[in-house]
Amino acid sequence: MESVLQQINLGVVLLDHECRVVYWNDFMAINSGRSVTEVVGQSLFDLFPELPRLWVKKKIDSVLTLQNLAFTSWQQRPQLFNFSDSRPITGQGEAMYQNCTFFPVMEASATIKYVCLTVADATETAAQHLELTRLNELLQAEKEQQARLIRKLEEAQAQLLQSEKMAAIGQLAAGVAHEINNPVGYVNSNIGSLESYVKELFDLIEAYNRDLPLLQDAAFRARIEQANREQDYEFLRGDVFNLIRESREGLARVKRIVQDLRDFSHVDSTDWQMVDLHRGLDSTLNVVWNEVKFKAEVIKQYGQLPDVECIGSQLNQVFMNLIVNAAHAIESSGTIWLETGTRDEWVFVRVRDNGCGIASENLKRLFEPFFTTKPVGSGTGLGLSVSYNIVSKHHGRIEVESEPGQGTAFTVWLPVRQPSEGQEAP
Ligand SMILES: Nc1ncnc2c1ncn2[C@@H]1O[C@H](COP(=O)(O)OP(=O)(O)OP(=O)(O)O)[C@@H](O)[C@H]1O
Ligand SMILES: [Mg+2]
């Protein structure tokens, strides 16, 4: 037993009540560089000044009085003794990680004679453990980076989807507008001619009627008067011009809609230009009017806006998303306010509604791609995420305020001029 104890790969030290060394094995001798004869009778604290004296003393006292075991592991205290590690693989003199135990050693009379302290080399376990932790952290960081990438990808895909959709709608709208423009053009000019011809025809009939009393042939005269009455000539004369005027108004509206469609799709410009945002708002409102008119009264509170450097068609898309959202938030009847104004070098366009409002837990998710509270099939959840990206591209920002049950306001802030390359927005 003596020889096993001497050679075991574990430090074993026996201490008396005064913490003086009574025994120590090879492990201790090799690692401390001191033989048994050098240390017996000396205080542990004199031999190892690095020991946390108070702490070790407390452990030893507790073993002596309570007769219990005390431990310390490398995770709490990596090194109690300044031993260096002797791992053959690295060969480097790193510090040895240690697990230590204090336990009482009894005499036959059951009184405590010694405290035994064992020191186990835990460097191998510790190294593996630490390596694992490091790898785990690396993995975690990689995972987060991947999540960020996926989010970016989703956003890009969402924007692509929506801008493809918008491009298709824009092209369709522009095509339809162009097709309608031709027939509307000639109907318009024909109506003009028609009006003057009809007027001349009536002048002619008036001339005949004026001379009617001069007719000698009473029977002939009576026939003509009879025909006048049968055709309700007086009504015809009054109504024909009303019809023509109404048709002209109808045509003017068609022309307006065609113009709005063209403005909205901005077929001619996808570049940065100085744009009158009020015009963009008006044409967008007309394009989505169908979604809005049965539900909401629209109140425009426009301030003075300078022309703003932007890509008009893209901002129209933002206005459209906000106005349609506002209309959707109104269940049966409500109001949508369109407000604009300036502050310093910035302009704002606000779309405010008194609709259902937004629950606070949804507020921070609004701009995520595919976030929608609408039933499957009626909302893709892309409107706001795309709007956000467009406004960011313009170096602007979108603010949202909402009170559930009261309404919502989305405010788009844009710098009047785009900052030049490498410059911050004002
Ligand atoms: N004015 C508003 N009032 C109340 N809720 C709103 C308003 N605007 C947006 N929301 C909420 O934000 C969600 C996301 O809006 P977003 O425009 O991104 O997607 P969507 O309208 O659901 O779908 P779509 O892609 O067709 O626009 C909506 O589903 C709705 O819950
Ligand atoms: Mg929407």
Side-chain angles (χ1 to χ4, degrees):
M1 282 304 286
E2 170 83 35
S3 132
V4 169
L5 198 62
Q6 196 61 36
Q7 293 170 51
I8 198 166
N9 185 24
L10 182 76
V12 179
V13 183
L14 271 188
L15 300 169
D16 65 14
H17 288 237
E18 313 298 326
C19 292
R20 282 184 304 246
V21 174
V22 179
Y23 169 83
W24 113 341
N25 69 353
D26 286 353
F27 181 98
M28 292 304 289
I30 292 165
N31 281 295
S32 70
R34 289 186 194 140
S35 67
V36 162
T37 46
E38 278 176 74
V39 299
V40 164
Q42 297 206 43
S43 155
L44 188 70
F45 302 112
D46 291 345
L47 290 167
F48 300 100
E50 73 263 24
L51 287 179
R53 191 180 179 118
L54 279 177
W55 184 82
V56 172
K57 190 88 180 62
K58 223 168 117 191
K59 288 266 170 191
I60 291 174
D61 286 348
S62 101
V63 171
L64 287 170
T65 51
L66 303 174
Q67 311 190 2
N68 61 357
L69 277 157
F71 305 94
T72 150
S73 83
W74 67 268
Q75 275 146 314
Q76 304 163 305
R77 248 171 221 284
Q79 286 99 27
L80 205 54
F81 298 92
N82 274 351
F83 294 166
S84 60
D85 139 58
S86 57
R87 278 193 302 167
I89 312 160
T90 60
Q92 292 162 351
E94 282 179 52
M96 178 199 287
Y97 288 87
Q98 298 147 14
N99 288 330
C100 300
T101 325
F102 300 82
F103 58 91
V105 177
M106 315 272 184
E107 271 195 314
S109 62
T111 56
I112 298 174
K113 189 144 191 213
Y114 304 114
V115 171
C116 180
L117 162 62
T118 65
V119 182
D121 180 354
T123 312
E124 206 62 46
T125 323
Q128 281 169 4
H129 194 100
L130 292 174
E131 180 67 6
L132 262 177
T133 315
R134 193 181 64 84
L135 288 177
N136 241 333
E137 276 163 9
L138 230 78
L139 264 174
Q140 194 61 32
E142 212 164 288
K143 209 174 108 189
E144 273 159 25
Q145 199 182 358
Q146 272 177 4
R148 268 199 303 277
L149 270 175
I150 290 172
R151 248 195 326 273
K152 264 198 187 153
L153 228 96
E154 271 178 359
E155 271 165 29
Q157 190 204 15
Q159 173 138 30
L160 214 74
L161 258 172
Q162 171 100 1
S163 57
E164 258 173 29
K165 194 170 97 185
M166 287 309 294
I169 292 175
Q171 247 171 12
L172 196 76
V176 170
H178 181 76
E179 287 302 315
I180 294 176
N181 219 20
N182 277 337
V184 165
Y186 65 72
V187 170
N188 202 36
S189 92
N190 288 357
I191 283 261
S193 312
L194 194 66
E195 188 175 21
S196 70
Y197 293 169
V198 167
K199 193 164 174 308
E200 281 163 22
L201 274 176
F202 275 116
D203 285 350
L204 197 64
I205 295 171
E206 287 300 300
Y208 287 146
N209 278 348
R210 230 183 354 261
D211 289 343
L212 199 60
L214 303 180
L215 264 185
Q216 300 300 320
D217 186 337
F220 184 43
R221 214 169 57 217
R223 269 207 313 282
I224 290 182
E225 279 166 354
Q226 167 75 12
N228 271 349
R229 270 195 304 280
E230 271 174 10
Q231 300 307 330
D232 207 349
Y233 173 72
E234 287 303 317
F235 170 76
L236 276 186
R237 202 181 53 179
D239 201 39
V240 147
F241 290 104
N242 278 342
L243 293 184
I244 290 177
R245 193 177 32 89
E246 279 170 19
S247 302
R248 268 185 190 287
E249 281 170 12
L251 278 173
R253 260 166 62 190
V254 173
K255 278 171 85 177
R256 177 81 236 153
I257 291 169
V258 168
Q259 188 55 44
D260 285 338
L261 279 175
R262 301 179 86 157
D263 278 2
F264 173 74
S265 55
H266 263 266
V267 264
D268 1 287
S269 75
T270 48
D271 307 330
W272 293 90
Q273 285 182 332
M274 298 306 292
V275 171
D276 175 4
L277 291 187
H278 288 150
R279 222 177 125 192
L281 262 175
D282 289 341
S283 68
T284 305
L285 185 63
N286 284 335
V287 168
V288 297
W289 188 235
N290 216 27
E291 295 264 335
V292 177
K293 65 179 173 193
F294 297 117
K295 283 182 162 182
E297 180 196 6
V298 175
I299 298 179
K300 294 181 189 174
Q301 293 172 337
Y302 289 175
Q304 292 278 335
L305 283 195
D307 283 357
V308 172
E309 189 180 356
C310 63
I311 302 178
S313 57
Q314 294 198 347
L315 284 188
N316 287 349
Q317 193 181 332
V318 173
F319 302 149
M320 181 181 80
N321 286 330
L322 296 183
I323 295 172
V324 170
N325 278 351
H328 284 172
I330 292 168
E331 198 176 340
S332 55
S333 90
T335 309
I336 297 174
W337 290 266
L338 301 180
E339 300 158 358
T340 64
T342 55
R343 189 186 297 162
D344 302 327
E345 295 298 290
W346 291 74
V347 299
F348 71 85
V349 173
R350 181 174 300 131
V351 179
R352 191 155 63 84
D353 65 69
N354 57 0
C356 61
I358 301 170
S360 59
E361 70 266 23
N362 290 342
L363 268 181
K364 53 182 177 299
R365 302 196 53 202
L366 289 182
F367 298 100
E368 283 176 21
F370 304 111
F371 175 77
T372 180
T373 58
K374 295 172 188 171
V376 179
S378 58
T380 52
L382 289 178
L384 285 179
S385 109
V386 166
S387 302
Y388 181 89
N389 286 333
I390 291 175
V391 172
S392 302
K393 189 162 127 189
H394 283 78
H395 300 97
R397 59 178 197 274
I398 301 186
E399 289 171 357
V400 51
E401 283 172 84
S402 188
E403 185 80 30
Q406 302 292 314
T408 307
F410 281 89
T411 310
V412 178
W413 286 93
L414 296 164
V416 176
R417 302 301 303 259
Q418 290 298 307
S420 45
E421 200 103 349
Q423 213 187 339
E424 289 277 302

